[in-house]
Amino acid sequence: MIRLTLRILVILSAIGIVAAMVWLVVIAFPGSHQGFGRRPFLRHLRPQPGAVIVYFGKLILIGSIAWLGRRFLKLRL
Amino acid sequence: MTRIRIVFWLDLTLLLSVCALETLGFTGLVIHEWLATGLIALIFVHILLSWNWIAASSRRLLARKSARTRVNFVLNFCLFLSIVTVVLSGLMISEIVLPALGIKAAGGDGTSPEATWGQWRYVHNQTSDLVLILAGLHLAINWDWSLAAARRCLGIRPR
């Protein structure tokens, strides 16, 4: 089970990396952003290269909640 | 393509999209709004594909020995409510999609008071955090199915 989970995580990471590469090339390169909306303070909401770490962080966070939740639910239900 | 493959790839797309939507700096505002709009359709398909389960578990909700079904049902219902709230508040503060479609957003048309816009933005941000947690728990309760589907769809042989 752990081996399978690890393999799935590797595959998910591979998909994530491909998505991140596409994102870096297509969106995050300077001058390729498409606008920020009408409110000036929304300018910081354009794609930022560092956000790729946050993206993987959120994936790991959901995975961790799922893993912990599964253990808890297995105990209780 | 079999049903299980369709559901698996749809769910994987949903998972990766939710993560992208939760990271506004990753997509930027334009892709954030259009991706979220596309996601509404995907969630609709996801619910339709699970309709038999929803109908069956609704009938079994009050039956004895169905604690797991009850927890799953309540969890899914909360997730559904959260997503509806996120989508609604997102539309209220829309800066790109609604103006592009020629619709005036309640909070995002540039003429409404900042307080209204700020309140919708607050609701949007708070509920999106809730969606993240509930999505994790949704994955938790369907973990075994997800592993089995992944095994089948990715051609991984059990040891």
mmCIF file with all atom_site columns, all heavy atoms in Angstrom, chain A residues 1 3-4 12 23 27 38-39 45 47-48 61 66 70, chain B residues 12 25-26 28-29 95 99 107 114 132 140 143 151:
data_model
loop_
_atom_site.group_PDB
_atom_site.id
_atom_site.type_symbol
_atom_site.label_atom_id
_atom_site.label_alt_id
_atom_site.label_comp_id
_atom_site.label_asym_id
_atom_site.label_entity_id
_atom_site.label_seq_id
_atom_site.pdbx_PDB_ins_code
_atom_site.Cartn_x
_atom_site.Cartn_y
_atom_site.Cartn_z
_atom_site.occupancy
_atom_site.B_iso_or_equiv
_atom_site.pdbx_formal_charge
_atom_site.auth_seq_id
_atom_site.auth_comp_id
_atom_site.auth_asym_id
_atom_site.auth_atom_id
_atom_site.pdbx_PDB_model_num
ATOM 1   N N   . MET A 1 1   ? 0.828   -1.213 0.000   1.00 0.00 ? 1   MET A N   1
ATOM 2   C CA  . MET A 1 1   ? 0.000   0.000  0.000   1.00 0.00 ? 1   MET A CA  1
ATOM 3   C C   . MET A 1 1   ? 0.863   1.264  0.000   1.00 0.00 ? 1   MET A C   1
ATOM 4   O O   . MET A 1 1   ? 0.607   2.189  -0.755  1.00 0.00 ? 1   MET A O   1
ATOM 5   C CB  . MET A 1 1   ? -0.919  -0.039 1.227   1.00 0.00 ? 1   MET A CB  1
ATOM 6   C CG  . MET A 1 1   ? -1.978  1.049  1.240   1.00 0.00 ? 1   MET A CG  1
ATOM 7   S SD  . MET A 1 1   ? -3.190  0.850  -0.047  1.00 0.00 ? 1   MET A SD  1
ATOM 8   C CE  . MET A 1 1   ? -4.518  0.105  0.877   1.00 0.00 ? 1   MET A CE  1
ATOM 9   N N   . ARG A 1 3   ? 3.976   1.441  -0.959  1.00 0.00 ? 3   ARG A N   1
ATOM 10  C CA  . ARG A 1 3   ? 4.698   1.480  -2.234  1.00 0.00 ? 3   ARG A CA  1
ATOM 11  C C   . ARG A 1 3   ? 3.814   2.075  -3.337  1.00 0.00 ? 3   ARG A C   1
ATOM 12  O O   . ARG A 1 3   ? 4.251   2.924  -4.112  1.00 0.00 ? 3   ARG A O   1
ATOM 13  C CB  . ARG A 1 3   ? 5.109   0.048  -2.608  1.00 0.00 ? 3   ARG A CB  1
ATOM 14  C CG  . ARG A 1 3   ? 6.166   -0.024 -3.677  1.00 0.00 ? 3   ARG A CG  1
ATOM 15  C CD  . ARG A 1 3   ? 6.485   -1.479 -3.936  1.00 0.00 ? 3   ARG A CD  1
ATOM 16  N NE  . ARG A 1 3   ? 7.308   -2.063 -2.888  1.00 0.00 ? 3   ARG A NE  1
ATOM 17  C CZ  . ARG A 1 3   ? 8.635   -2.111 -2.947  1.00 0.00 ? 3   ARG A CZ  1
ATOM 18  N NH1 . ARG A 1 3   ? 9.262   -1.612 -3.986  1.00 0.00 ? 3   ARG A NH1 1
ATOM 19  N NH2 . ARG A 1 3   ? 9.326   -2.653 -1.983  1.00 0.00 ? 3   ARG A NH2 1
ATOM 20  N N   . LEU A 1 4   ? 2.552   1.631  -3.343  1.00 0.00 ? 4   LEU A N   1
ATOM 21  C CA  . LEU A 1 4   ? 1.605   2.130  -4.345  1.00 0.00 ? 4   LEU A CA  1
ATOM 22  C C   . LEU A 1 4   ? 1.373   3.628  -4.155  1.00 0.00 ? 4   LEU A C   1
ATOM 23  O O   . LEU A 1 4   ? 1.381   4.397  -5.123  1.00 0.00 ? 4   LEU A O   1
ATOM 24  C CB  . LEU A 1 4   ? 0.282   1.366  -4.225  1.00 0.00 ? 4   LEU A CB  1
ATOM 25  C CG  . LEU A 1 4   ? -0.852  1.864  -5.123  1.00 0.00 ? 4   LEU A CG  1
ATOM 26  C CD1 . LEU A 1 4   ? -0.494  1.647  -6.577  1.00 0.00 ? 4   LEU A CD1 1
ATOM 27  C CD2 . LEU A 1 4   ? -2.144  1.141  -4.799  1.00 0.00 ? 4   LEU A CD2 1
ATOM 28  N N   . LEU A 1 12  ? 1.992   11.854 -9.658  1.00 0.00 ? 12  LEU A N   1
ATOM 29  C CA  . LEU A 1 12  ? 1.352   13.171 -9.446  1.00 0.00 ? 12  LEU A CA  1
ATOM 30  C C   . LEU A 1 12  ? 2.385   14.289 -9.523  1.00 0.00 ? 12  LEU A C   1
ATOM 31  O O   . LEU A 1 12  ? 2.139   15.337 -10.116 1.00 0.00 ? 12  LEU A O   1
ATOM 32  C CB  . LEU A 1 12  ? 0.664   13.206 -8.078  1.00 0.00 ? 12  LEU A CB  1
ATOM 33  C CG  . LEU A 1 12  ? -0.754  12.670 -8.021  1.00 0.00 ? 12  LEU A CG  1
ATOM 34  C CD1 . LEU A 1 12  ? -1.264  12.725 -6.596  1.00 0.00 ? 12  LEU A CD1 1
ATOM 35  C CD2 . LEU A 1 12  ? -1.676  13.458 -8.929  1.00 0.00 ? 12  LEU A CD2 1
ATOM 36  N N   . TRP A 1 23  ? 3.544   26.264 -17.186 1.00 0.00 ? 23  TRP A N   1
ATOM 37  C CA  . TRP A 1 23  ? 3.169   27.537 -16.563 1.00 0.00 ? 23  TRP A CA  1
ATOM 38  C C   . TRP A 1 23  ? 4.318   28.544 -16.620 1.00 0.00 ? 23  TRP A C   1
ATOM 39  O O   . TRP A 1 23  ? 4.137   29.704 -16.964 1.00 0.00 ? 23  TRP A O   1
ATOM 40  C CB  . TRP A 1 23  ? 2.756   27.263 -15.119 1.00 0.00 ? 23  TRP A CB  1
ATOM 41  C CG  . TRP A 1 23  ? 2.593   28.498 -14.285 1.00 0.00 ? 23  TRP A CG  1
ATOM 42  C CD1 . TRP A 1 23  ? 1.550   29.359 -14.312 1.00 0.00 ? 23  TRP A CD1 1
ATOM 43  C CD2 . TRP A 1 23  ? 3.508   28.992 -13.320 1.00 0.00 ? 23  TRP A CD2 1
ATOM 44  N NE1 . TRP A 1 23  ? 1.757   30.363 -13.406 1.00 0.00 ? 23  TRP A NE1 1
ATOM 45  C CE2 . TRP A 1 23  ? 2.943   30.163 -12.786 1.00 0.00 ? 23  TRP A CE2 1
ATOM 46  C CE3 . TRP A 1 23  ? 4.735   28.548 -12.840 1.00 0.00 ? 23  TRP A CE3 1
ATOM 47  C CZ2 . TRP A 1 23  ? 3.580   30.903 -11.806 1.00 0.00 ? 23  TRP A CZ2 1
ATOM 48  C CZ3 . TRP A 1 23  ? 5.369   29.283 -11.867 1.00 0.00 ? 23  TRP A CZ3 1
ATOM 49  C CH2 . TRP A 1 23  ? 4.794   30.441 -11.361 1.00 0.00 ? 23  TRP A CH2 1
ATOM 50  N N   . ILE A 1 27  ? 3.168   31.397 -18.991 1.00 0.00 ? 27  ILE A N   1
ATOM 51  C CA  . ILE A 1 27  ? 2.537   32.478 -18.215 1.00 0.00 ? 27  ILE A CA  1
ATOM 52  C C   . ILE A 1 27  ? 3.538   33.373 -17.501 1.00 0.00 ? 27  ILE A C   1
ATOM 53  O O   . ILE A 1 27  ? 3.444   34.595 -17.547 1.00 0.00 ? 27  ILE A O   1
ATOM 54  C CB  . ILE A 1 27  ? 1.568   31.874 -17.175 1.00 0.00 ? 27  ILE A CB  1
ATOM 55  C CG1 . ILE A 1 27  ? 0.512   31.035 -17.896 1.00 0.00 ? 27  ILE A CG1 1
ATOM 56  C CG2 . ILE A 1 27  ? 0.865   32.977 -16.381 1.00 0.00 ? 27  ILE A CG2 1
ATOM 57  C CD1 . ILE A 1 27  ? -0.243  30.118 -16.987 1.00 0.00 ? 27  ILE A CD1 1
ATOM 58  N N   . ARG A 1 38  ? -9.289  45.725 -12.747 1.00 0.00 ? 38  ARG A N   1
ATOM 59  C CA  . ARG A 1 38  ? -9.386  47.185 -12.775 1.00 0.00 ? 38  ARG A CA  1
ATOM 60  C C   . ARG A 1 38  ? -8.856  47.857 -11.520 1.00 0.00 ? 38  ARG A C   1
ATOM 61  O O   . ARG A 1 38  ? -8.660  49.044 -11.494 1.00 0.00 ? 38  ARG A O   1
ATOM 62  C CB  . ARG A 1 38  ? -10.847 47.573 -12.946 1.00 0.00 ? 38  ARG A CB  1
ATOM 63  C CG  . ARG A 1 38  ? -11.327 47.353 -14.354 1.00 0.00 ? 38  ARG A CG  1
ATOM 64  C CD  . ARG A 1 38  ? -12.778 47.694 -14.434 1.00 0.00 ? 38  ARG A CD  1
ATOM 65  N NE  . ARG A 1 38  ? -13.446 46.769 -15.336 1.00 0.00 ? 38  ARG A NE  1
ATOM 66  C CZ  . ARG A 1 38  ? -14.735 46.611 -15.378 1.00 0.00 ? 38  ARG A CZ  1
ATOM 67  N NH1 . ARG A 1 38  ? -15.512 47.281 -14.575 1.00 0.00 ? 38  ARG A NH1 1
ATOM 68  N NH2 . ARG A 1 38  ? -15.259 45.771 -16.223 1.00 0.00 ? 38  ARG A NH2 1
ATOM 69  N N   . ARG A 1 39  ? -8.725  47.105 -10.458 1.00 0.00 ? 39  ARG A N   1
ATOM 70  C CA  . ARG A 1 39  ? -8.278  47.732 -9.214  1.00 0.00 ? 39  ARG A CA  1
ATOM 71  C C   . ARG A 1 39  ? -6.748  47.703 -9.145  1.00 0.00 ? 39  ARG A C   1
ATOM 72  O O   . ARG A 1 39  ? -6.153  46.637 -9.256  1.00 0.00 ? 39  ARG A O   1
ATOM 73  C CB  . ARG A 1 39  ? -8.886  47.001 -8.021  1.00 0.00 ? 39  ARG A CB  1
ATOM 74  C CG  . ARG A 1 39  ? -10.372 47.260 -7.920  1.00 0.00 ? 39  ARG A CG  1
ATOM 75  C CD  . ARG A 1 39  ? -11.044 46.284 -7.004  1.00 0.00 ? 39  ARG A CD  1
ATOM 76  N NE  . ARG A 1 39  ? -12.434 46.165 -7.359  1.00 0.00 ? 39  ARG A NE  1
ATOM 77  C CZ  . ARG A 1 39  ? -13.413 46.866 -6.790  1.00 0.00 ? 39  ARG A CZ  1
ATOM 78  N NH1 . ARG A 1 39  ? -13.158 47.712 -5.850  1.00 0.00 ? 39  ARG A NH1 1
ATOM 79  N NH2 . ARG A 1 39  ? -14.655 46.710 -7.177  1.00 0.00 ? 39  ARG A NH2 1
ATOM 80  N N   . LEU A 1 45  ? -1.483  40.389 -8.250  1.00 0.00 ? 45  LEU A N   1
ATOM 81  C CA  . LEU A 1 45  ? -2.110  39.090 -8.492  1.00 0.00 ? 45  LEU A CA  1
ATOM 82  C C   . LEU A 1 45  ? -1.755  38.513 -9.864  1.00 0.00 ? 45  LEU A C   1
ATOM 83  O O   . LEU A 1 45  ? -2.451  37.670 -10.378 1.00 0.00 ? 45  LEU A O   1
ATOM 84  C CB  . LEU A 1 45  ? -3.633  39.210 -8.362  1.00 0.00 ? 45  LEU A CB  1
ATOM 85  C CG  . LEU A 1 45  ? -4.124  39.582 -6.969  1.00 0.00 ? 45  LEU A CG  1
ATOM 86  C CD1 . LEU A 1 45  ? -5.635  39.610 -6.917  1.00 0.00 ? 45  LEU A CD1 1
ATOM 87  C CD2 . LEU A 1 45  ? -3.593  38.604 -5.934  1.00 0.00 ? 45  LEU A CD2 1
ATOM 88  N N   . PRO A 1 47  ? 0.825   36.203 -12.294 1.00 0.00 ? 47  PRO A N   1
ATOM 89  C CA  . PRO A 1 47  ? 1.596   35.006 -11.956 1.00 0.00 ? 47  PRO A CA  1
ATOM 90  C C   . PRO A 1 47  ? 2.993   35.336 -11.452 1.00 0.00 ? 47  PRO A C   1
ATOM 91  O O   . PRO A 1 47  ? 3.688   36.173 -12.031 1.00 0.00 ? 47  PRO A O   1
ATOM 92  C CB  . PRO A 1 47  ? 1.678   34.263 -13.292 1.00 0.00 ? 47  PRO A CB  1
ATOM 93  C CG  . PRO A 1 47  ? 0.522   34.760 -14.063 1.00 0.00 ? 47  PRO A CG  1
ATOM 94  C CD  . PRO A 1 47  ? 0.309   36.170 -13.661 1.00 0.00 ? 47  PRO A CD  1
ATOM 95  N N   . GLN A 1 48  ? 3.378   34.694 -10.360 1.00 0.00 ? 48  GLN A N   1
ATOM 96  C CA  . GLN A 1 48  ? 4.707   34.919 -9.784  1.00 0.00 ? 48  GLN A CA  1
ATOM 97  C C   . GLN A 1 48  ? 5.473   33.596 -9.748  1.00 0.00 ? 48  GLN A C   1
ATOM 98  O O   . GLN A 1 48  ? 4.914   32.594 -9.302  1.00 0.00 ? 48  GLN A O   1
ATOM 99  C CB  . GLN A 1 48  ? 4.555   35.476 -8.369  1.00 0.00 ? 48  GLN A CB  1
ATOM 100 C CG  . GLN A 1 48  ? 3.921   36.849 -8.330  1.00 0.00 ? 48  GLN A CG  1
ATOM 101 C CD  . GLN A 1 48  ? 3.165   37.135 -7.052  1.00 0.00 ? 48  GLN A CD  1
ATOM 102 O OE1 . GLN A 1 48  ? 3.064   36.286 -6.174  1.00 0.00 ? 48  GLN A OE1 1
ATOM 103 N NE2 . GLN A 1 48  ? 2.626   38.328 -6.962  1.00 0.00 ? 48  GLN A NE2 1
ATOM 104 N N   . LEU A 1 61  ? -0.501  19.718 1.211   1.00 0.00 ? 61  LEU A N   1
ATOM 105 C CA  . LEU A 1 61  ? -1.436  19.967 2.315   1.00 0.00 ? 61  LEU A CA  1
ATOM 106 C C   . LEU A 1 61  ? -2.708  19.126 2.146   1.00 0.00 ? 61  LEU A C   1
ATOM 107 O O   . LEU A 1 61  ? -3.159  18.462 3.101   1.00 0.00 ? 61  LEU A O   1
ATOM 108 C CB  . LEU A 1 61  ? -1.784  21.459 2.373   1.00 0.00 ? 61  LEU A CB  1
ATOM 109 C CG  . LEU A 1 61  ? -2.673  21.905 3.530   1.00 0.00 ? 61  LEU A CG  1
ATOM 110 C CD1 . LEU A 1 61  ? -1.974  21.662 4.859   1.00 0.00 ? 61  LEU A CD1 1
ATOM 111 C CD2 . LEU A 1 61  ? -3.026  23.375 3.403   1.00 0.00 ? 61  LEU A CD2 1
ATOM 112 N N   . ALA A 1 66  ? -5.776  14.386 3.662   1.00 0.00 ? 66  ALA A N   1
ATOM 113 C CA  . ALA A 1 66  ? -6.402  13.134 3.231   1.00 0.00 ? 66  ALA A CA  1
ATOM 114 C C   . ALA A 1 66  ? -5.800  11.949 3.976   1.00 0.00 ? 66  ALA A C   1
ATOM 115 O O   . ALA A 1 66  ? -6.520  11.057 4.436   1.00 0.00 ? 66  ALA A O   1
ATOM 116 C CB  . ALA A 1 66  ? -6.222  12.963 1.723   1.00 0.00 ? 66  ALA A CB  1
ATOM 117 N N   . ARG A 1 70  ? -7.845  9.881  6.651   1.00 0.00 ? 70  ARG A N   1
ATOM 118 C CA  . ARG A 1 70  ? -8.089  8.460  6.377   1.00 0.00 ? 70  ARG A CA  1
ATOM 119 C C   . ARG A 1 70  ? -7.776  7.619  7.604   1.00 0.00 ? 70  ARG A C   1
ATOM 120 O O   . ARG A 1 70  ? -8.534  6.719  7.963   1.00 0.00 ? 70  ARG A O   1
ATOM 121 C CB  . ARG A 1 70  ? -7.223  8.031  5.201   1.00 0.00 ? 70  ARG A CB  1
ATOM 122 C CG  . ARG A 1 70  ? -7.346  6.577  4.857   1.00 0.00 ? 70  ARG A CG  1
ATOM 123 C CD  . ARG A 1 70  ? -6.518  6.243  3.644   1.00 0.00 ? 70  ARG A CD  1
ATOM 124 N NE  . ARG A 1 70  ? -6.322  4.815  3.568   1.00 0.00 ? 70  ARG A NE  1
ATOM 125 C CZ  . ARG A 1 70  ? -5.284  4.167  4.054   1.00 0.00 ? 70  ARG A CZ  1
ATOM 126 N NH1 . ARG A 1 70  ? -4.340  4.849  4.669   1.00 0.00 ? 70  ARG A NH1 1
ATOM 127 N NH2 . ARG A 1 70  ? -5.171  2.875  3.931   1.00 0.00 ? 70  ARG A NH2 1
ATOM 128 N N   . LEU B 2 12  ? -8.782  13.802 -10.896 1.00 0.00 ? 12  LEU B N   1
ATOM 129 C CA  . LEU B 2 12  ? -7.389  14.263 -10.852 1.00 0.00 ? 12  LEU B CA  1
ATOM 130 C C   . LEU B 2 12  ? -7.290  15.708 -11.363 1.00 0.00 ? 12  LEU B C   1
ATOM 131 O O   . LEU B 2 12  ? -6.588  16.541 -10.768 1.00 0.00 ? 12  LEU B O   1
ATOM 132 C CB  . LEU B 2 12  ? -6.511  13.328 -11.699 1.00 0.00 ? 12  LEU B CB  1
ATOM 133 C CG  . LEU B 2 12  ? -5.008  13.539 -11.583 1.00 0.00 ? 12  LEU B CG  1
ATOM 134 C CD1 . LEU B 2 12  ? -4.522  13.280 -10.168 1.00 0.00 ? 12  LEU B CD1 1
ATOM 135 C CD2 . LEU B 2 12  ? -4.261  12.629 -12.554 1.00 0.00 ? 12  LEU B CD2 1
ATOM 136 N N   . GLY B 2 25  ? -1.273  33.424 -6.769  1.00 0.00 ? 25  GLY B N   1
ATOM 137 C CA  . GLY B 2 25  ? -0.013  33.873 -7.355  1.00 0.00 ? 25  GLY B CA  1
ATOM 138 C C   . GLY B 2 25  ? 0.483   32.942 -8.454  1.00 0.00 ? 25  GLY B C   1
ATOM 139 O O   . GLY B 2 25  ? 1.290   33.326 -9.294  1.00 0.00 ? 25  GLY B O   1
ATOM 140 N N   . PHE B 2 26  ? 0.012   31.703 -8.441  1.00 0.00 ? 26  PHE B N   1
ATOM 141 C CA  . PHE B 2 26  ? 0.439   30.702 -9.434  1.00 0.00 ? 26  PHE B CA  1
ATOM 142 C C   . PHE B 2 26  ? -0.221  30.961 -10.788 1.00 0.00 ? 26  PHE B C   1
ATOM 143 O O   . PHE B 2 26  ? 0.410   30.853 -11.830 1.00 0.00 ? 26  PHE B O   1
ATOM 144 C CB  . PHE B 2 26  ? 0.068   29.315 -8.917  1.00 0.00 ? 26  PHE B CB  1
ATOM 145 C CG  . PHE B 2 26  ? 0.500   28.182 -9.795  1.00 0.00 ? 26  PHE B CG  1
ATOM 146 C CD1 . PHE B 2 26  ? 1.831   27.903 -10.004 1.00 0.00 ? 26  PHE B CD1 1
ATOM 147 C CD2 . PHE B 2 26  ? -0.445  27.367 -10.400 1.00 0.00 ? 26  PHE B CD2 1
ATOM 148 C CE1 . PHE B 2 26  ? 2.226   26.840 -10.804 1.00 0.00 ? 26  PHE B CE1 1
ATOM 149 C CE2 . PHE B 2 26  ? -0.063  26.306 -11.202 1.00 0.00 ? 26  PHE B CE2 1
ATOM 150 C CZ  . PHE B 2 26  ? 1.274   26.055 -11.407 1.00 0.00 ? 26  PHE B CZ  1
ATOM 151 N N   . GLY B 2 28  ? -2.377  33.848 -11.463 1.00 0.00 ? 28  GLY B N   1
ATOM 152 C CA  . GLY B 2 28  ? -2.722  35.223 -11.803 1.00 0.00 ? 28  GLY B CA  1
ATOM 153 C C   . GLY B 2 28  ? -4.242  35.336 -11.836 1.00 0.00 ? 28  GLY B C   1
ATOM 154 O O   . GLY B 2 28  ? -4.948  34.322 -11.880 1.00 0.00 ? 28  GLY B O   1
ATOM 155 N N   . LEU B 2 29  ? -4.729  36.565 -11.837 1.00 0.00 ? 29  LEU B N   1
ATOM 156 C CA  . LEU B 2 29  ? -6.176  36.775 -11.697 1.00 0.00 ? 29  LEU B CA  1
ATOM 157 C C   . LEU B 2 29  ? -6.970  36.288 -12.908 1.00 0.00 ? 29  LEU B C   1
ATOM 158 O O   . LEU B 2 29  ? -8.044  35.702 -12.765 1.00 0.00 ? 29  LEU B O   1
ATOM 159 C CB  . LEU B 2 29  ? -6.458  38.264 -11.442 1.00 0.00 ? 29  LEU B CB  1
ATOM 160 C CG  . LEU B 2 29  ? -7.878  38.589 -11.015 1.00 0.00 ? 29  LEU B CG  1
ATOM 161 C CD1 . LEU B 2 29  ? -8.222  37.886 -9.710  1.00 0.00 ? 29  LEU B CD1 1
ATOM 162 C CD2 . LEU B 2 29  ? -8.062  40.085 -10.868 1.00 0.00 ? 29  LEU B CD2 1
ATOM 163 N N   . GLU B 2 95  ? -13.440 40.366 -11.579 1.00 0.00 ? 95  GLU B N   1
ATOM 164 C CA  . GLU B 2 95  ? -12.849 41.532 -12.261 1.00 0.00 ? 95  GLU B CA  1
ATOM 165 C C   . GLU B 2 95  ? -12.667 41.265 -13.754 1.00 0.00 ? 95  GLU B C   1
ATOM 166 O O   . GLU B 2 95  ? -12.436 42.191 -14.524 1.00 0.00 ? 95  GLU B O   1
ATOM 167 C CB  . GLU B 2 95  ? -11.467 41.835 -11.661 1.00 0.00 ? 95  GLU B CB  1
ATOM 168 C CG  . GLU B 2 95  ? -11.485 42.286 -10.231 1.00 0.00 ? 95  GLU B CG  1
ATOM 169 C CD  . GLU B 2 95  ? -11.751 43.777 -10.087 1.00 0.00 ? 95  GLU B CD  1
ATOM 170 O OE1 . GLU B 2 95  ? -11.380 44.532 -10.992 1.00 0.00 ? 95  GLU B OE1 1
ATOM 171 O OE2 . GLU B 2 95  ? -12.342 44.166 -9.073  1.00 0.00 ? 95  GLU B OE2 1
ATOM 172 N N   . PRO B 2 99  ? -17.213 41.022 -16.350 1.00 0.00 ? 99  PRO B N   1
ATOM 173 C CA  . PRO B 2 99  ? -17.112 42.158 -17.283 1.00 0.00 ? 99  PRO B CA  1
ATOM 174 C C   . PRO B 2 99  ? -16.905 41.710 -18.737 1.00 0.00 ? 99  PRO B C   1
ATOM 175 O O   . PRO B 2 99  ? -17.448 42.325 -19.661 1.00 0.00 ? 99  PRO B O   1
ATOM 176 C CB  . PRO B 2 99  ? -15.885 42.923 -16.765 1.00 0.00 ? 99  PRO B CB  1
ATOM 177 C CG  . PRO B 2 99  ? -15.837 42.608 -15.315 1.00 0.00 ? 99  PRO B CG  1
ATOM 178 C CD  . PRO B 2 99  ? -16.293 41.182 -15.205 1.00 0.00 ? 99  PRO B CD  1
ATOM 179 N N   . GLY B 2 107 ? -19.765 43.337 -6.762  1.00 0.00 ? 107 GLY B N   1
ATOM 180 C CA  . GLY B 2 107 ? -18.656 43.941 -6.028  1.00 0.00 ? 107 GLY B CA  1
ATOM 181 C C   . GLY B 2 107 ? -17.511 44.378 -6.903  1.00 0.00 ? 107 GLY B C   1
ATOM 182 O O   . GLY B 2 107 ? -16.608 45.066 -6.454  1.00 0.00 ? 107 GLY B O   1
ATOM 183 N N   . GLU B 2 114 ? -16.404 50.062 -1.621  1.00 0.00 ? 114 GLU B N   1
ATOM 184 C CA  . GLU B 2 114 ? -15.311 49.129 -1.323  1.00 0.00 ? 114 GLU B CA  1
ATOM 185 C C   . GLU B 2 114 ? -15.685 48.165 -0.199  1.00 0.00 ? 114 GLU B C   1
ATOM 186 O O   . GLU B 2 114 ? -15.209 47.048 -0.140  1.00 0.00 ? 114 GLU B O   1
ATOM 187 C CB  . GLU B 2 114 ? -14.049 49.906 -0.953  1.00 0.00 ? 114 GLU B CB  1
ATOM 188 C CG  . GLU B 2 114 ? -13.352 50.546 -2.130  1.00 0.00 ? 114 GLU B CG  1
ATOM 189 C CD  . GLU B 2 114 ? -12.885 49.551 -3.174  1.00 0.00 ? 114 GLU B CD  1
ATOM 190 O OE1 . GLU B 2 114 ? -12.415 48.470 -2.794  1.00 0.00 ? 114 GLU B OE1 1
ATOM 191 O OE2 . GLU B 2 114 ? -12.998 49.843 -4.361  1.00 0.00 ? 114 GLU B OE2 1
ATOM 192 N N   . LEU B 2 132 ? -10.406 23.790 0.885   1.00 0.00 ? 132 LEU B N   1
ATOM 193 C CA  . LEU B 2 132 ? -9.141  23.040 0.886   1.00 0.00 ? 132 LEU B CA  1
ATOM 194 C C   . LEU B 2 132 ? -9.187  21.895 1.913   1.00 0.00 ? 132 LEU B C   1
ATOM 195 O O   . LEU B 2 132 ? -8.836  20.749 1.605   1.00 0.00 ? 132 LEU B O   1
ATOM 196 C CB  . LEU B 2 132 ? -7.992  23.987 1.216   1.00 0.00 ? 132 LEU B CB  1
ATOM 197 C CG  . LEU B 2 132 ? -6.594  23.436 1.008   1.00 0.00 ? 132 LEU B CG  1
ATOM 198 C CD1 . LEU B 2 132 ? -6.218  23.487 -0.457  1.00 0.00 ? 132 LEU B CD1 1
ATOM 199 C CD2 . LEU B 2 132 ? -5.575  24.201 1.823   1.00 0.00 ? 132 LEU B CD2 1
ATOM 200 N N   . ALA B 2 140 ? -9.899  11.775 1.664   1.00 0.00 ? 140 ALA B N   1
ATOM 201 C CA  . ALA B 2 140 ? -9.617  10.789 2.725   1.00 0.00 ? 140 ALA B CA  1
ATOM 202 C C   . ALA B 2 140 ? -10.659 9.687  2.749   1.00 0.00 ? 140 ALA B C   1
ATOM 203 O O   . ALA B 2 140 ? -10.326 8.500  2.800   1.00 0.00 ? 140 ALA B O   1
ATOM 204 C CB  . ALA B 2 140 ? -9.574  11.488 4.082   1.00 0.00 ? 140 ALA B CB  1
ATOM 205 N N   . TRP B 2 143 ? -10.355 7.371  -0.192  1.00 0.00 ? 143 TRP B N   1
ATOM 206 C CA  . TRP B 2 143 ? -8.951  7.028  -0.429  1.00 0.00 ? 143 TRP B CA  1
ATOM 207 C C   . TRP B 2 143 ? -8.798  5.653  -1.101  1.00 0.00 ? 143 TRP B C   1
ATOM 208 O O   . TRP B 2 143 ? -8.068  5.508  -2.084  1.00 0.00 ? 143 TRP B O   1
ATOM 209 C CB  . TRP B 2 143 ? -8.203  7.053  0.898   1.00 0.00 ? 143 TRP B CB  1
ATOM 210 C CG  . TRP B 2 143 ? -6.728  6.921  0.757   1.00 0.00 ? 143 TRP B CG  1
ATOM 211 C CD1 . TRP B 2 143 ? -6.009  5.762  0.821   1.00 0.00 ? 143 TRP B CD1 1
ATOM 212 C CD2 . TRP B 2 143 ? -5.777  7.964  0.534   1.00 0.00 ? 143 TRP B CD2 1
ATOM 213 N NE1 . TRP B 2 143 ? -4.679  6.026  0.658   1.00 0.00 ? 143 TRP B NE1 1
ATOM 214 C CE2 . TRP B 2 143 ? -4.509  7.364  0.475   1.00 0.00 ? 143 TRP B CE2 1
ATOM 215 C CE3 . TRP B 2 143 ? -5.893  9.343  0.367   1.00 0.00 ? 143 TRP B CE3 1
ATOM 216 C CZ2 . TRP B 2 143 ? -3.346  8.111  0.271   1.00 0.00 ? 143 TRP B CZ2 1
ATOM 217 C CZ3 . TRP B 2 143 ? -4.731  10.086 0.165   1.00 0.00 ? 143 TRP B CZ3 1
ATOM 218 C CH2 . TRP B 2 143 ? -3.484  9.461  0.115   1.00 0.00 ? 143 TRP B CH2 1
ATOM 219 N N   . ARG B 2 151 ? -4.625  2.592  -9.561  1.00 0.00 ? 151 ARG B N   1
ATOM 220 C CA  . ARG B 2 151 ? -3.961  1.335  -9.922  1.00 0.00 ? 151 ARG B CA  1
ATOM 221 C C   . ARG B 2 151 ? -4.434  0.848  -11.288 1.00 0.00 ? 151 ARG B C   1
ATOM 222 O O   . ARG B 2 151 ? -3.662  0.429  -12.121 1.00 0.00 ? 151 ARG B O   1
ATOM 223 C CB  . ARG B 2 151 ? -4.297  0.306  -8.842  1.00 0.00 ? 151 ARG B CB  1
ATOM 224 C CG  . ARG B 2 151 ? -3.474  -0.940 -8.900  1.00 0.00 ? 151 ARG B CG  1
ATOM 225 C CD  . ARG B 2 151 ? -3.896  -1.861 -7.795  1.00 0.00 ? 151 ARG B CD  1
ATOM 226 N NE  . ARG B 2 151 ? -3.271  -1.523 -6.530  1.00 0.00 ? 151 ARG B NE  1
ATOM 227 C CZ  . ARG B 2 151 ? -3.782  -1.825 -5.336  1.00 0.00 ? 151 ARG B CZ  1
ATOM 228 N NH1 . ARG B 2 151 ? -4.950  -2.421 -5.249  1.00 0.00 ? 151 ARG B NH1 1
ATOM 229 N NH2 . ARG B 2 151 ? -3.143  -1.529 -4.240  1.00 0.00 ? 151 ARG B NH2 1
#
